[in-house]
Amino acid sequence: SGEVRCWGAGALSQLGPGARTDSASPVVVTGLRAVELGVGGSHACARLADGAVACWGNNDKGQLGDGTTRARGKPEAVRNLRATQLALGRSHTCVRKEDGRVACWGWNGDGQLGDGTTPDRTRPVDVADLTGVLDVASGNGHTCARQSNGKASCWGWNADGQLGDGTHETQAKPVLVTELATTRQLALGSRHTCGLDGDGGVLCWGRNDRGQLGSGGAQ
């Protein structure tokens, strides 16, 4: 039916019924029928059948995209936006648009919106120099995209090398993942990134203190 239900911590309105309370059982997000759902650190967004995007929950960094920093207990539409995919980070939101570009909004202290700047944004801004995107994924403070040429690009927080460009320098615009020639899928954690390559192999990069890169050890 497309009905959305949420449960868990609700102090920041992230469950969507309009009340700031926790719930151990699913509660209905009122007045919403969705085809895709994305969840961030304390906010959520839904993509509707016509491509419209509506978000609710915490909004301290503008991650709901409604032009304010006020929390919302019910879904609020992001104006002038049609999307084909959602990708939510801790306090930022990105979408793949119908034209194959990516737009992001919210927290931008580490350049995770990809527009070449670091101020937070309460409305969508296009990621710079990025077209032909087939897939987008967000982590805690970084975002990556898979393009039609098979390449992967990432931007944002890079303290642990999670952008895969061979450095630990934060990037406010997309940089190529150097060791991944052909990408079929991307998956982002808090401080690490994994990619499925053209041969079906998995490569991971970034933080590895708990062995999250799968290389047989931790460092």
Side-chain angles (χ1 to χ4, degrees):
S1 70
E3 185 178 78
V4 175
R5 295 174 182 248
C6 299
W7 55 96
L12 297 170
S13 301
Q14 60 265 52
L15 302 187
R20 296 190 174 195
T21 56
D22 299 348
S23 178
S25 58
V27 292
V28 176
V29 180
T30 6
L32 190 66
R33 290 292 184 270
V35 296
E36 184 187 3
L37 183 65
V39 174
S42 54
H43 74 295
C45 297
R47 181 170 60 88
L48 313 186
D50 63 356
V53 175
C55 301
W56 62 95
N58 190 19
N59 196 27
D60 61 332
K61 300 293 185 180
Q63 57 264 50
L64 302 189
D66 66 349
T68 78
T69 54
R70 297 191 305 270
R72 301 277 186 179
K74 295 181 180 179
E76 183 77 15
V78 180
R79 292 189 304 182
N80 303 318
L81 182 72
R82 288 294 182 269
T84 56
Q85 187 187 7
L86 303 173
L88 275 63
R90 188 180 83 183
S91 297
H92 75 289
T93 306
C94 293
V95 299
R96 186 178 81 235
K97 300 196 296 182
E98 295 172 336
D99 62 0
R101 295 182 64 85
V102 173
C104 300
W105 58 92
W107 181 35
N108 197 29
D110 293 301
Q112 55 265 58
L113 304 189
D115 68 338
T117 74
T118 54
D120 298 343
R121 304 282 189 171
T122 61
R123 296 282 188 193
V125 291
D126 281 348
V127 174
D129 309 323
L130 191 68
T131 58
V133 173
L134 301 178
D135 186 31
V136 60
S138 289
N140 185 8
H142 71 299
T143 307
C144 297
R146 178 173 63 93
Q147 296 169 263
S148 56
N149 60 6
K151 302 294 185 182
S153 297
C154 298
W155 58 95
W157 191 28
N158 198 26
D160 298 288
Q162 57 263 51
L163 301 189
D165 66 338
T167 78
H168 288 82
E169 297 177 10
T170 290
Q171 302 286 346
K173 290 184 179 181
V175 291
L176 281 176
V177 178
T178 54
E179 299 298 326
L180 201 57
T182 304
T183 315
R184 293 168 56 187
Q185 186 180 353
L186 294 166
L188 277 61
S190 174
R191 300 172 75 160
H192 74 292
T193 307
C194 292
L196 180 66
D197 68 18
D199 298 321
V202 176
L203 288 81
C204 297
W205 54 97
R207 192 176 182 91
N208 196 33
D209 59 325
R210 297 182 183 273
Q212 51 265 62
L213 303 189
S215 57
Q219 60 182 27

